[in-house]
Amino acid sequence: MKRRRVLILAHDFSPAASAGALRATRLARHLPAFGWEPIVVTATHKASDAPGAPPCTTIYAHGIDAKQTLSWRGHYWSLLTFPDRFASWAITAAWRASQETRRRPADAIFSTSPPVSAHVAALALRARTELPWVAELRDPWNLLHPFGPVLRSIDARLARRVYATADRIVVTTGELGDRLRSSQGEAIGARVRVVANAHEESDFVDAAPAPPTDAFTLVHAGTLGGSYRPTDGLIRGIRLALDRHDLPQATRLDLLGVTAEVEPELRRAIDELDLARHVTVHPRQPHAKALQAIRCASVLVVLQNHDAFGSSLPSKLWEYVRSSRPILAVAPPDSAVARFLEDVPGAVLVPHDEPAAIAASLGRLAHAWRIDPIRAYARPDVVHRADVLAVSVATVRDERANATDR
C-alpha cells in the first residue's frame, strides 16, 4: 500500500510538554501504522531530536509571542495578538508548509488548537492546495482572548470560515461537539467527530511500580496559568482540614505546571495561609517526571472551574484515570469533568468555591489513605488509547473521495 502524507500544523510538539504537544506527538507516532507519513510544522525547536519523539519529519516555523515580545509595561495593542498571540507563527507555518507541498506533494492537512493560529495557517494552505483538511479543537475557539466588540466579530467570522471549510472538525468531548452543532447548524455539525484525549499505554505498562510514600501527597499535574483553574478554594480547604486535624501534618500539595503569570499571587496566598510547608509550586515539568508524580500520588487533583471551559476535559485526566489513583475533582457540578467522573471508581467531585466541602472531602480521602495507602482502582471502561485519533485522521481523505464519487 502506498504511504500517504499528512501535514500536521501544531504550534507545540515534542519535546514541549504541553497538552497540545503531547496530543500532536501521539498522533504523529501512531499515523504510520495506518499508512500515513506525518510531516509536522511546529514552533518547537529540535522536535525530531527529542527523547521519545516519533520518527517523523519536523519543520520549524519561526514566530513570536506578541503578548510577551511587543508589550510595554504590561500593555499591548490587542490587534497585534489577533487571532492569538502566536499569529506571526501562522504566517511562517503556512509558508513553510506550502514550500513542503511543492517539494513533495501531500495528501491531507491536520491542524490543532489552541492556539487557533494553526487553523489560520491551515486555511491558507487549503486555499492553495485544496487538500482534505481536519481541524481539531481541544478547547472551544479562542476563549481567553479579551478582544473588543470589533475584533470579537471578526474572530467569530474567522471561526465560521474555518468550520465551513474544513472537511472534518475533531473535538475532544461530546459537550464541545454539541456546542458546535447547536451554534453552527446542521451542515457543519455533520462534520464534527468526537475523539477523546488518551493516555499512551506504554507509559504505564513499561513503568516500574510506584514506590510508597509516608506523606499524604496531593498532585495537580497540568498548566496552572489562568482564572479557569484557580487554586484558592483548594488551598483554603487544605488549611481548614489541617486546622481540624482531618489531614496528617505530613500532607503535601504539589502543583506542577504553574506559569509565571500566576506564581507571585499564588505564593502570596500560600504564605498568608501559612501553607509553605505543605504546598510546593513547580513550573511545567517534562512529561516523564509528571507521570512519575502522578503514579506516586496519594490523591490526584483536577481543577476545572471557569464556566467557559465547562465543555472541556483536562488532557491529564486520562493519565489520572489510567494510574488507578484516587481523584479529587474541584469543578462545577454541571461540567464535563463532573459528567466524565460520575462512573469512575475512586473519584470525588466537589465545587470549587466551597472550601468547607473541599476540606471534608480531603478528610475522607486521608482517612481512606491511612487504611490503605496504595489502594488502586480498576477503571477499564473509561480508558482511551492514543491511536484512536490516528484512525480519525487516516480515514478523512477516503471519506471525502467516497462523497465525491456519490
Side-chain angles (χ1 to χ4, degrees):
M1 181 178 64
K2 180 184 176 182
R3 186 172 293 273
R4 293 172 291 186
R5 304 175 72 246
V6 57
L7 282 163
I8 299 177
L9 300 171
H11 183 271
D12 295 342
F13 194 68
S14 178
S18 67
L22 290 173
R23 187 163 165 102
T25 299
R26 288 165 177 166
L27 171 64
R29 181 177 294 126
H30 288 284
L31 273 173
F34 299 92
W36 286 82
E37 175 190 353
I39 311 296
V40 182
V41 182
T42 178
T44 304
H45 280 286
K46 299 181 180 178
S48 60
D49 299 331
C56 65
T57 301
T58 56
I59 300 170
Y60 173 70
H62 176 71
I64 63 171
D65 180 340
K67 183 176 178 180
Q68 290 185 356
T69 306
L70 304 178
S71 64
W72 173 252
R73 295 181 178 178
H75 299 285
Y76 56 92
W77 192 22
S78 60
L79 185 60
L80 298 175
T81 61
F82 181 82
D84 58 49
R85 55 204 286 181
F86 304 106
S88 62
W89 175 79
I91 299 171
T92 54
W95 177 62
R96 294 300 305 273
S98 181
Q99 281 187 317
E100 177 66 16
T101 60
R102 291 193 203 100
R103 191 171 69 88
R104 292 190 296 169
D107 298 280
I109 305 165
F110 176 86
S111 57
T112 180
S113 69
V116 300
S117 54
H119 300 315
V120 174
L123 188 64
L125 185 63
R126 166 62 178 266
R128 196 192 73 78
T129 64
E130 287 297 316
L131 289 171
W133 173 23
V134 178
E136 176 187 73
L137 281 80
R138 304 187 310 275
D139 287 319
W141 181 280
N142 247 356
L143 274 180
L144 298 180
H145 287 267
F147 297 134
V150 174
L151 284 183
R152 274 200 303 270
S153 176
I154 298 172
D155 189 52
R157 288 200 294 271
L158 175 62
R160 288 194 295 270
R161 175 76 180 278
V162 168
Y163 300 150
T165 307
D167 294 276
R168 174 175 293 172
I169 304 164
V170 169
V171 295
T172 54
T173 68
E175 289 83 356
L176 184 50
D178 291 342
R179 283 181 55 168
L180 270 177
R181 293 184 187 100
S182 63
S183 65
Q184 301 299 321
E186 183 178 346
I188 290 175
R191 303 176 192 172
V192 175
R193 302 288 187 277
V194 178
V195 182
N197 276 306
H199 72 283
E200 192 73 72
E201 184 63 16
S202 60
D203 290 337
F204 295 87
V205 172
D206 300 336
T213 175
D214 294 331
F216 181 64
T217 306
L218 305 157
V219 171
H220 179 276
T223 302
L224 286 172
S227 60
Y228 63 100
R229 287 181 187 161
T231 57
D232 183 67
L234 175 62
I235 62 175
R236 289 186 181 279
I238 291 173
R239 179 71 272 168
L240 187 56
L242 285 168
D243 292 343
R244 293 174 176 174
H245 305 289
D246 291 337
L247 289 179
Q249 285 303 305
T251 291
R252 186 177 76 245
L253 169 64
D254 289 334
L255 298 173
L256 312 182
V258 176
T259 65
E261 175 188 5
V262 301
E263 182 178 353
E265 182 179 350
L266 177 55
R267 289 192 181 278
R268 280 194 297 271
I270 291 169
D271 290 340
E272 288 172 2
L273 293 170
D274 193 23
L275 287 174
R277 293 183 298 115
H278 300 283
V279 182
T280 56
V281 175
H282 307 270
R284 180 177 286 162
Q285 302 295 300
H287 184 233
K289 191 170 182 178
L291 276 177
Q292 181 66 8
I294 287 171
R295 294 174 52 252
C296 294
S298 307
V299 174
L300 296 165
V301 178
V302 181
L303 295 173
Q304 195 80 347
N305 306 333
H306 197 292
D307 289 342
F309 282 84
S311 60
S312 298
L313 292 171
S315 61
K316 285 292 181 188
L317 195 52
W318 276 264
E319 290 170 341
Y320 280 17
V321 169
R322 179 59 180 84
S323 74
S324 303
R325 307 305 300 143
I327 297 172
L328 174 66
V330 183
D334 60 346
S335 62
V337 166
R339 287 184 286 274
F340 177 82
L341 292 176
E342 280 179 354
D343 300 319
V344 175
V348 177
L349 178 75
V350 61
H352 69 278
D353 54 355
E354 297 184 17
I358 294 172
S361 295
L362 286 169
R364 290 191 291 270
L365 288 164
H367 177 72
W369 172 79
R370 289 186 182 99
I371 296 172
D372 185 358
I374 59 171
R375 181 179 178 183
Y377 292 87
R379 299 161 176 165
D381 295 332
V382 289
V383 172
H384 299 274
R385 298 180 63 89
D387 55 5
V388 176
L389 178 61
V391 177
S392 182
V393 175
T395 58
V396 66
R397 187 177 185 276
D398 296 332
E399 285 187 5
R400 178 174 159 178
N402 293 338
T404 301
D405 291 341
R406 290 194 296 268

